Amino acid sequence: MGRDNFAEKALIFLRSRLCDPSFIFSSFSNSPDSNYSKLKFIVSSSVIEGCNNSILLLGPRGSGKVAVLELVIRDLLLEYPDMITVIKLSGLLHNDDICAFKEIARQLCVENQLLFSKMASFDDNSQFMLAMLRECGLAHKTIIFILDEFDLFAQGKQRLLYSLLDAMQSVSSQAVVIGISCRLDADQLLEKRVRSRFSHRKLLFLPSINEEWHRLLEHILLLPTESTLPPNYVTEFNEKIQNILADVKFKEIITTCTNIDSTVNALLKFLFRAVSNMDLGTGFLSLENFKTALSTMQRQPKLECIKDCSILELYILVCMRRMEIKEQNSYNFNSIMKEYKSVHDSCQTSDYYAQNVCLRAFEHLLRRELISFADNRGNNQSIEFRPVKLLVSSHELHQALTSTRSSPVSFSPSLVPYLNIFIMVSNRVHEVYFS
C-alpha cells in the first residue's frame, strides 16, 4: 500500500475525530477539576443517593457545554442503564408552558412504553409529570431534565420551572434539572419563588489555558499506535506533529486563533481546515497547513475593501482618520477637503485632485460602506454638507496601508494623537473618476 493511501486513511481518521464531540472532550474526563468530573459527580450522587439537584451550565456558545453534558449522560447510562430517564427540552422550541408540558409527557410515555394522548390538557400533562416523578422516585429511578437555552424558559410566568423545582421539594421525587445557557446571569432572571427552590449550583465553561490547549491538540492530532496504519508511518507522523506543536511560530498561530475566538468549537474548525489541507503526497501535516487555515479564518471584508481602494480614496480615509485623532467628532465632505488640502500643502506632493473628482471618490466610499452618514437627518441636504463617520478601525486602516504597494501614506504604528503622515508621490490615478 502506497504512502498516498496511508495519508488518506490518516486524513479520514483525523476528520472523524474532529467531528466527534465526545472524543474531543474525553481528554478532560481524567482531570478531577474538569467540568466533566464536577458535573458527573453531582448527577451520579443524585442517582446513587436518591436526592434532587439542580445546576446551570453557563458559558459562551461553542465552549462545550452540550458536548460535556452528553458525554456525562452517555457514561452514566452505561453505568446505571435502568436508573436514569433523560428528558430534553429546548427553549427555542418549548418555551411555551403548554408545549413544554406536552413534550415532557410525550417523552415520559415513550420512555415508559405508555400511550400518549395528544388531546390531553395542560393540567392533565402537568399532573401526569408529577405522578411520574413520584413513581420513578419510589422505583429509585432518576429523571434528568435538560433545559437547553435555559434563559428562554425564564421568560413569562415560569410555570414550568416552578412546577419542576417545586416537585423536587418532595421526598418522594427523584430528579435533576440541568439548565444550559450562554447568559451568565441566567439565574438572575428567575422569579423569587423559583429562585428560592433552585440550588444555585453553576459550572462556568471558560476559555482554556495554554496547557489545556496543548493537551487538547495532542489528543486530537496524534495518531494512536493501535491502528490499521503502519507503525513506522504512525511514529513518523506523531514525531512531526510534536515538532510542530513545539514550534514557536505554531504557538503564535494558536494564540492568534484563540484571540479571534477562544471557544473549543472555533479551534476545531481551525484544525479541520488545517487537516483538510494536508499534503497526501508526503502524508504529513506541516506548519504551512496551519498558516493557510489561519488565513482563511482571518478574512476581514473591510480590510479587503480598503486594499482595493484607489489612491484618492485612501487619501480621504486617512484625512478622516486624522480628523478623528484631532477629536473633530462631526465633519463633512467640505471639512475633509480642507484637511486634504492642508496635508497636501504641508508635504508638497504632485498628486492633487480636483474637488469634483474627490466627490466621486467620496461617493464611491459611501457605496462600499467604508464610510457612512452620521445620522438620517438632513436627507434633503447636498451630500457635501451631510456629516459622515468612518466605519473602519485604525488597526484595519493601518494594516491595509502598510500592506498595499500603491499606498500613498505610511503610519506610525502606535497611531498616537500626533500621528505623522507622510505622503508618497504617486502618479497612479484611476480612470473611473475621469470617465
Side-chain angles (χ1 to χ4, degrees), residues 147-189:
L147 307 181
D148 198 6
E149 305 292 345
F150 179 83
D151 51 288
L152 298 181
F153 288 102
Q155 297 177 0
K157 297 181 180 180
Q158 302 184 12
R159 282 193 293 181
L160 172 68
L161 296 178
Y162 177 76
S163 299
L164 280 175
L165 296 174
D166 186 60
M168 288 166 59
Q169 305 300 311
S170 172
V171 180
S172 60
S173 66
Q174 192 171 329
V176 179
V177 174
I178 303 175
I180 306 171
S181 178
C182 60
R183 288 192 58 167
L184 299 181
D185 63 340
D187 58 325
Q188 301 301 316
L189 303 175

Side-chain angles (χ1 to χ4, degrees), residues 30 106 147 246 273 295 305 359 380 402:
N30 297 326
R106 186 192 69 80
L147 307 181
R273 292 174 181 176
S295 64
C305 284
L359 181 59
N380 297 328
T402 52

Side-chain angles (χ1 to χ4, degrees), residues 362-416:
F362 182 78
E363 292 172 342
H364 193 218
L365 290 173
L366 284 169
R367 287 196 298 271
R368 302 186 74 174
E369 296 184 353
L370 293 174
I371 63 175
S372 71
F373 293 114
D375 51 50
N376 293 325
R377 293 177 296 178
N379 290 332
N380 297 328
Q381 282 185 328
S382 177
I383 192 173
E384 298 99 315
F385 301 100
R386 292 186 64 182
V388 291
K389 60 182 178 181
L390 190 61
L391 299 181
V392 180
S393 68
S394 58
H395 175 73
E396 289 173 326
L397 186 55
H398 176 265
Q399 192 174 351
L401 291 167
T402 52
S403 61
T404 305
R405 185 176 300 178
S406 59
S407 170
V409 295
S410 61
F411 281 98
S412 166
S414 59
L415 288 175
V416 294

Side-chain angles (χ1 to χ4, degrees), residues 339-374:
E339 181 68 24
Y340 173 47
K341 187 176 186 306
S342 68
V343 171
H344 173 265
D345 293 342
S346 62
C347 297
Q348 294 296 319
T349 60
S350 61
D351 48 349
Y352 185 75
Y353 303 95
Q355 185 154 336
N356 63 330
V357 178
C358 294
L359 181 59
R360 298 186 65 176
F362 182 78
E363 292 172 342
H364 193 218
L365 290 173
L366 284 169
R367 287 196 298 271
R368 302 186 74 174
E369 296 184 353
L370 293 174
I371 63 175
S372 71
F373 293 114

Side-chain angles (χ1 to χ4, degrees), residues 156-328:
K157 297 181 180 180
Q158 302 184 12
R159 282 193 293 181
L160 172 68
L161 296 178
Y162 177 76
S163 299
L164 280 175
L165 296 174
D166 186 60
M168 288 166 59
Q169 305 300 311
S170 172
V171 180
S172 60
S173 66
Q174 192 171 329
V176 179
V177 174
I178 303 175
I180 306 171
S181 178
C182 60
R183 288 192 58 167
L184 299 181
D185 63 340
D187 58 325
Q188 301 301 316
L189 303 175
L190 301 177
E191 296 176 358
K192 186 177 180 180
R193 60 172 185 163
V194 179
R195 194 181 302 128
S196 64
R197 289 164 172 77
F198 181 67
S199 66
H200 296 283
R201 290 187 179 91
K202 291 183 283 188
L203 284 182
L204 298 180
F205 286 74
L206 302 174
S208 302
I209 58 177
N210 292 334
E211 293 77 8
E212 291 176 340
W213 284 130
H214 186 80
R215 187 167 76 249
L216 182 60
L217 290 169
E218 285 185 337
H219 178 67
I220 296 172
L221 297 177
L222 293 180
L223 296 177
T225 53
E226 305 85 8
S227 65
T228 57
L229 295 169
N232 293 337
Y233 172 75
V234 172
T235 302
E236 191 176 356
F237 186 95
N238 289 344
E239 285 178 357
K240 290 185 178 296
I241 290 295
Q242 292 287 11
N243 292 335
I244 292 173
L245 295 180
D247 195 323
V248 176
K249 293 182 179 179
F250 176 78
K251 292 178 180 178
E252 292 175 354
I253 291 173
I254 294 297
T255 301
T256 305
C257 180
T258 53
N259 286 339
I260 296 172
D261 190 337
S262 59
T263 61
V264 177
N265 194 28
L267 180 69
L268 297 180
K269 290 179 181 179
F270 163 72
L271 292 178
F272 193 91
R273 292 174 181 176
V275 168
S276 299
N277 291 327
M278 186 173 76
D279 186 359
L280 296 180
T282 61
F284 301 109
L285 284 168
S286 65
L287 188 62
E288 290 300 320
N289 298 142
F290 296 96
K291 288 181 179 178
T292 304
L294 181 63
S295 64
T296 60
M297 293 184 66
Q298 283 185 305
R299 288 198 61 191
Q300 302 179 41
K302 294 288 184 186
L303 182 59
E304 293 174 7
C305 284
I306 299 173
K307 288 182 179 180
D308 293 334
C309 285
S310 66
I311 295 291
L312 179 53
E313 290 167 351
L314 292 175
Y315 272 129
I316 294 174
L317 293 176
V318 169
C319 290
M320 292 177 69
R321 177 60 190 154
R322 280 171 59 94
M323 296 175 75
E324 288 184 354
I325 292 171
K326 295 176 181 178
E327 298 183 354
Q328 295 186 25

